[in-house]
Amino acid sequence: MKQPAAKSSLRRLCPNINKEDGLETVLEIPIPEEMFSTMGNNVALRWQNMLTWMKAQTEDKLATPTVASRLNELRFLLYLVGCPLIPLQVQLGHSVHRPVRDCSIEASTAKYIVQQYIAATGGQPALNAVDSMCVTGQIKISASDFYHTGQSIEVKKTSEEMGGFVLWQKDPDLWCLEVVLSGCKVCCGSNGKVSWRHSSNQQTPVQRGAPRPLRRFLQGLDPRATANLFLDAACIGEKIINDEECFILKLETSPAIRDAQSGPNFEIIHHTIWGYFSQRSGLLVQFEDCRLHSMRTKDDNDIFWQTSLESVIEDYKYVDGINVSHSGKTRVTVSRYGEQSANHKKELEERWKIEEVDFNIWGLNAESFLPPSNLEKT
């Protein structure tokens, strides 16, 4: 007998505030019940407060310093933690087998570990049968203020921000993510030729770049992309992660890829990725990456930013024969150097929970991943 579905902790419908017997509206992005419950003493007041907040997201309101500062902080959290990209063009099509001949022992060992991971996540036939995917989930993000790295103080996080997201993907490299965090909406995507990212604040221009995968895919959602990413890695040792003995696979971004992802005032100096694969289960239990880039200011000064992300991947469950992670936590450390010789650091944390995963979405095509109409103007 099929087990009854667990009650979702995401709210998906909005009642008709102006007409009591009117049809409910389906929310484009579900919001966590916990977030909704903090917006008033009763359901009607909560929806009214939410609608009022959304109506305030107009250009005249956004011009006020308080609202603008708040949205800038939320966008910073979303860009850095909620929807970061990986500066590698991962093959998202069918998994490929690389020959182990003429490989170093570290590279051939990594290929063997990846094959064990493919088996642990459902096997090659199951992964190759996936054509598209839709994921809904919720996130909670907290962050500290910037502080001097030399200060020996206890870093306290600010209040926790809550939100929800919807992620669409179609094989091989089409994807779109929409995420709302405390009312601030950010969209990002890739149509296979260009990737983009922009927020609900229309005063913020659309950011564009070469096609890149979303980091969230590699946090247990897309085993095929993860396998293809680490096929070119090297096994550098072993480490115990949360009482699990793990193999460590390491991958360095090549100079050619770094140059392709850099811009006239922006240079990626290095980007290194590590994957920790359980020796017992074969699953990816931790994913880390560290990148260093420099930015040239208007005064021709260089500011260096180093971002380290560490994701613990948990709660694997089978969906249509594929083993997918349903929760996890990411810790982020952002360091800034070179600005008036002052070094600053900021610490962030994201916790996520996947509510629903569906594969092979009927009717999803390339037109579902068109970039914003004003992308060419940026």
Side-chain angles (χ1 to χ4, degrees):
M1 180 180 295
K2 186 177 181 180
Q3 296 293 327
K7 183 178 179 181
S8 174
S9 57
L10 288 176
R11 183 170 287 266
R12 303 170 183 272
L13 298 177
C14 172
N16 192 319
I17 301 296
N18 300 319
K19 193 174 181 181
E20 186 175 346
D21 58 346
L23 294 175
E24 292 183 313
T25 301
V26 178
L27 294 174
E28 290 185 6
I29 305 175
I31 62 173
E33 286 283 358
E34 186 179 352
M35 169 184 169
F36 181 70
S37 63
T38 62
M39 305 185 78
N41 296 326
N42 55 67
V43 173
L45 180 60
R46 291 167 189 166
W47 282 118
Q48 192 63 57
N49 289 338
M50 184 173 181
L51 291 174
T52 301
W53 199 98
M54 294 175 66
K55 290 178 180 178
Q57 308 308 298
T58 56
E59 297 210 4
D60 58 330
K61 300 290 185 181
L62 292 168
T64 63
T66 302
V67 176
S69 175
R70 171 68 170 166
L71 287 176
N72 286 335
E73 174 68 13
L74 291 175
R75 278 197 304 271
F76 176 82
L77 296 178
L78 285 174
Y79 283 0
L80 191 64
V81 188
C83 55
L85 307 179
I86 292 290
L88 292 171
Q89 290 181 291
V90 181
Q91 172 61 41
L92 297 181
H94 290 185
S95 298
V96 294
H97 294 275
R98 304 284 174 81
V100 296
R101 292 175 300 177
D102 302 324
C103 287
S104 66
I105 185 64
E106 294 84 2
S108 59
T109 301
K111 290 175 174 55
Y112 172 78
I113 294 169
V114 169
Q115 294 306 316
Q116 298 304 305
Y117 169 73
I118 291 174
T121 52
Q124 194 78 59
L127 299 186
N128 286 345
V130 174
D131 173 72
S132 57
M133 174 173 60
C134 178
V135 180
T136 58
Q138 58 177 296
I139 56 175
K140 297 180 181 179
I141 300 178
S142 59
S144 72
D145 295 325
F146 273 106
Y147 62 95
H148 291 283
T149 55
Q151 291 178 299
S152 57
I153 59 175
E154 180 181 354
V155 179
K156 296 182 179 180
K157 298 287 196 302
T158 59
S159 59
E160 190 174 60
E161 308 289 351
M162 293 177 286
F165 66 88
V166 177
L167 173 60
W168 301 86
Q169 180 196 23
K170 183 172 176 61
D171 183 54
D173 54 2
L174 306 173
W175 60 266
C176 179
L177 171 71
E178 293 183 288
V179 55
V180 169
L181 185 74
S182 297
C184 179
K185 180 179 178 181
V186 166
C187 303
C188 58
S190 169
N191 66 351
K193 299 178 180 178
V194 64
S195 61
W196 66 87
R197 184 166 57 180
H198 69 112
S199 72
S200 55
N201 177 1
Q202 296 303 314
Q203 293 178 330
T204 303
V206 178
Q207 298 179 349
R208 60 177 297 169
R212 288 177 288 172
L214 191 66
R215 190 181 189 274
R216 197 169 295 277
F217 288 134
L218 308 173
Q219 295 172 180
L221 281 181
D222 191 337
R224 190 170 56 198
T226 303
N228 283 326
L229 173 68
F230 284 105
L231 274 175
D232 292 322
C235 182
I236 62 171
E238 303 177 15
K239 185 177 181 179
I240 296 178
I241 303 291
N242 295 332
D243 297 327
E244 288 272 358
E245 294 184 355
C246 299
F247 294 112
I248 308 172
L249 301 192
K250 181 180 178 181
L251 185 67
E252 293 279 1
T253 306
S254 69
I257 293 177
R258 295 200 305 267
D259 291 343
Q261 302 292 344
S262 300
N265 299 314
F266 174 86
E267 179 185 2
I268 299 177
I269 299 174
H270 76 73
H271 194 125
T272 307
I273 294 171
W274 298 266
Y276 298 82
F277 294 82
S278 169
Q279 297 181 16
R280 177 184 59 84
S281 67
L283 296 171
L284 177 68
V285 297
Q286 187 162 304
F287 178 79
E288 296 178 8
D289 66 309
C290 180
R291 68 172 182 254
L292 176 66
H293 67 266
S294 65
M295 297 183 65
R296 179 62 58 90
T297 66
K298 295 180 180 180
D299 301 326
D300 284 337
N301 295 319
D302 287 329
I303 299 177
F304 296 90
W305 294 83
Q306 180 169 303
T307 306
S308 300
L309 298 94
E310 176 186 291
S311 295
V312 177
I313 302 167
E314 302 171 325
D315 196 18
Y316 278 90
K317 298 176 184 177
Y318 278 95
V319 178
D320 295 337
I322 298 177
N323 209 358
V324 177
S325 170
H326 281 68
S327 68
K329 179 169 61 177
T330 297
R331 290 190 179 94
V332 185
T333 302
V334 183
S335 301
R336 182 177 62 195
Y337 310 96
E339 188 177 14
Q340 299 176 351
S341 299
N343 300 336
H344 297 84
K345 183 181 289 186
K346 189 180 184 78
E347 297 181 358
L348 308 94
E349 182 179 281
E350 179 208 39
R351 286 176 288 148
W352 74 86
K353 180 180 179 182
I354 303 302
E355 294 288 337
E356 189 174 352
V357 179
D358 290 305
F359 295 112
N360 298 328
I361 310 302
W362 185 84
L364 201 63
N365 54 44
E367 294 183 354
S368 305
F369 303 91
L370 293 176
S373 58
N374 58 341
L375 181 64
E376 299 300 328
K377 301 177 183 179
T378 60

